[in-house]
Amino acid sequence: MELSQDLVLITGATGHIGSCTLLHLLRHGYRVRAAVRSEENIAEVLSLPQIRALNPRHRLTFTLVPDISVPGAYDQAVEGVTHVIHLASPLATNVSIPGHLHENFFIKPAVEGTINLLKAADMVGTVRRVVITSSIVALIPYAEMEGLTKRSPLNPVSADSRIPLVPGPYESTFAAYAASKVAALHSAETWMAQERPAFDVVYLHPGFVLGQNDNATTHRQLMQGTNSIVLALLLGKRFGPYAGITVHVDDVAEAHVKSLAPSVAGNQSYILGQPSRWNEAREIARRYYPEAFKRKRFVMGGSVKTARIPFDMGITEATFKIEFVGYEEQVKSVVDQYLQLRL
């Protein structure tokens, strides 16, 4: 491992993607400063066995940012930083957020947190690149994501696809989350075009992220986030449809690290994922974990309908040259951890 003199600020390091990206950064030899909300979050990160095994010492430091939507929130966090990976943003969870709270819970922090970070990076003058974690939901109309309308195969979703922000109120928590990603992407691109800072931005748009969650210490915690789609399906729930594009968390983390390289074109979006059919998880699980079905931990009666959406992955494949982990291995990663935590 060759140590780098670059200093990377990462936000959202306590999340599913964030904690995995932090590990990949340290494994690649970067010095990392993690922006977290509290001292408890620092202890949480340092207690992870994967972090302790790397023994990062001075290569991992922390800075407190209690509220990303406060003006100047990141002004001190970016001091001396050369690169930024911005993952901090409200997530859709299994807990329903009332409609009258959608704006303040999702839209405001997603937009203001992103703009505060870009302003701080511009002010400090040392930042060369910012990587912003967006989502596939920022590129696809919500009706297509939910399978309510269909997209022509002749018009695939590409890295250059953009959709307008639909104002609230929103019909669901997931719809509000999707709107926050649309709003944050639009605001960031507008700010970059107007201000023309010395740094550029890479926008990453993962599909539904699956795979081991290092922060989950109970099977109920693992049911948070998009891993819950596969697990709820195997537990007999019937819902959907959801867009059929998934990606392993390790591939998302690796793409974040690779995005720091100058060879990756900036001010450009990249889609991360591959076509998947949700219900194939049933046969995958039955093939690899027959005992779980015998013991009634899993059942075959669940179903998640798949909204089939065409994607153009050309620029991602040409740029990152990542051989994405297939849906089978994604499912196995989630189920392995779930069964281990249950036991």
Side-chain angles (χ1 to χ4, degrees):
M1 177 181 65
E2 183 178 347
L3 298 181
S4 172
Q5 294 305 307
D6 292 330
L7 176 59
V8 181
L9 172 69
I10 181 172
T11 73
T14 57
H16 185 197
I17 300 174
S19 60
C20 191
T21 301
L22 173 59
L23 283 170
H24 280 247
L25 285 167
L26 293 172
R27 287 168 180 162
H28 280 272
Y30 283 98
R31 294 189 299 135
V32 183
R33 179 183 297 157
V36 296
R37 286 177 294 179
S38 66
E39 295 285 351
E40 288 77 11
N41 289 146
I42 296 175
E44 178 184 331
V45 172
L46 292 177
S47 68
L48 291 174
Q50 297 87 343
I51 293 291
R52 293 164 59 186
L54 291 174
N55 192 24
R57 297 185 181 180
H58 63 279
R59 290 196 300 119
L60 175 59
T61 56
F62 296 88
T63 183
L64 294 178
V65 181
D67 186 349
I68 66 175
S69 63
V70 172
Y74 290 107
D75 287 359
Q76 292 184 341
V78 296
E79 291 181 2
V81 166
T82 57
H83 300 79
V84 179
I85 294 179
H86 181 47
L87 292 121
S89 190
L91 293 174
T93 68
N94 298 334
V95 178
S96 179
I97 305 299
H100 68 280
L101 298 179
H102 285 167
E103 182 73 25
N104 286 333
F105 188 90
F106 287 107
I107 310 297
K108 181 179 178 181
V111 170
E112 295 183 358
T114 299
I115 297 303
N116 284 338
L117 183 58
L118 293 174
K119 288 180 177 179
D122 187 30
M123 179 184 66
V124 75
T126 57
V127 175
R128 303 197 295 270
R129 169 161 292 177
V130 175
V131 180
I132 294 178
T133 311
S134 183
S135 169
I136 196 68
V137 302
L139 307 179
I140 308 172
Y142 181 73
E144 292 181 18
M145 289 286 300
E146 295 281 277
L148 301 176
T149 61
K150 293 187 177 181
R151 193 183 194 97
S152 168
L154 301 179
N155 181 32
V157 177
S158 73
D160 296 326
S161 297
R162 294 294 183 271
I163 58 176
L165 174 64
V166 177
Y170 302 103
E171 59 265 41
S172 67
T173 296
F174 184 70
Y177 162 75
S180 76
K181 290 299 186 183
V182 175
L185 176 62
H186 173 76
S187 298
E189 291 186 322
T190 300
W191 188 92
M192 289 292 294
Q194 292 175 346
E195 302 300 327
R196 299 184 179 276
F199 59 86
D200 60 15
V201 175
V202 169
Y203 305 92
L204 297 182
H205 301 268
F208 289 89
V209 180
L210 304 175
Q212 178 168 322
N213 186 344
D214 295 331
N215 295 308
T217 58
T218 69
H219 69 278
R220 289 184 176 84
Q221 289 176 344
L222 190 62
M223 291 292 295
Q224 300 297 316
T226 49
N227 280 338
S228 65
I229 300 176
V230 167
L231 294 173
L233 161 65
L234 296 177
L235 293 172
K237 305 295 183 182
R238 303 178 70 87
F239 54 101
Y242 285 120
I245 179 169
T246 63
V247 60
H248 196 285
V249 65
D250 279 329
D251 288 336
V252 179
E254 189 65 19
H256 278 79
V257 177
K258 289 190 172 185
S259 294
L260 303 179
S263 58
V264 174
N267 299 324
Q268 173 67 52
S269 283
Y270 300 92
I271 297 173
L272 306 177
Q274 61 178 15
S276 303
R277 298 183 65 179
W278 290 106
N279 280 339
E280 289 181 0
R282 294 180 304 202
E283 291 301 328
I284 294 169
R286 187 163 66 171
R287 184 162 64 250
Y288 288 98
Y289 310 96
E291 192 65 24
F293 287 89
K294 289 180 182 178
R295 294 178 176 271
K296 305 298 183 182
R297 295 199 183 277
F298 295 143
V299 298
M300 290 296 290
S303 177
V304 177
K305 296 178 182 179
T306 299
R308 299 188 184 184
I309 300 173
F311 292 93
D312 179 358
M313 301 288 292
I315 190 170
T316 299
E317 294 168 354
T319 300
F320 292 102
K321 296 179 173 60
I322 296 175
E323 187 174 343
F324 286 107
V325 173
Y327 185 57
E328 181 172 298
E329 293 302 317
Q330 296 169 25
V331 171
K332 288 171 62 180
S333 179
V334 176
V335 174
D336 279 343
Q337 186 179 13
Y338 176 81
L339 293 177
Q340 289 170 9
L341 292 174
R342 281 297 302 267
L343 295 173

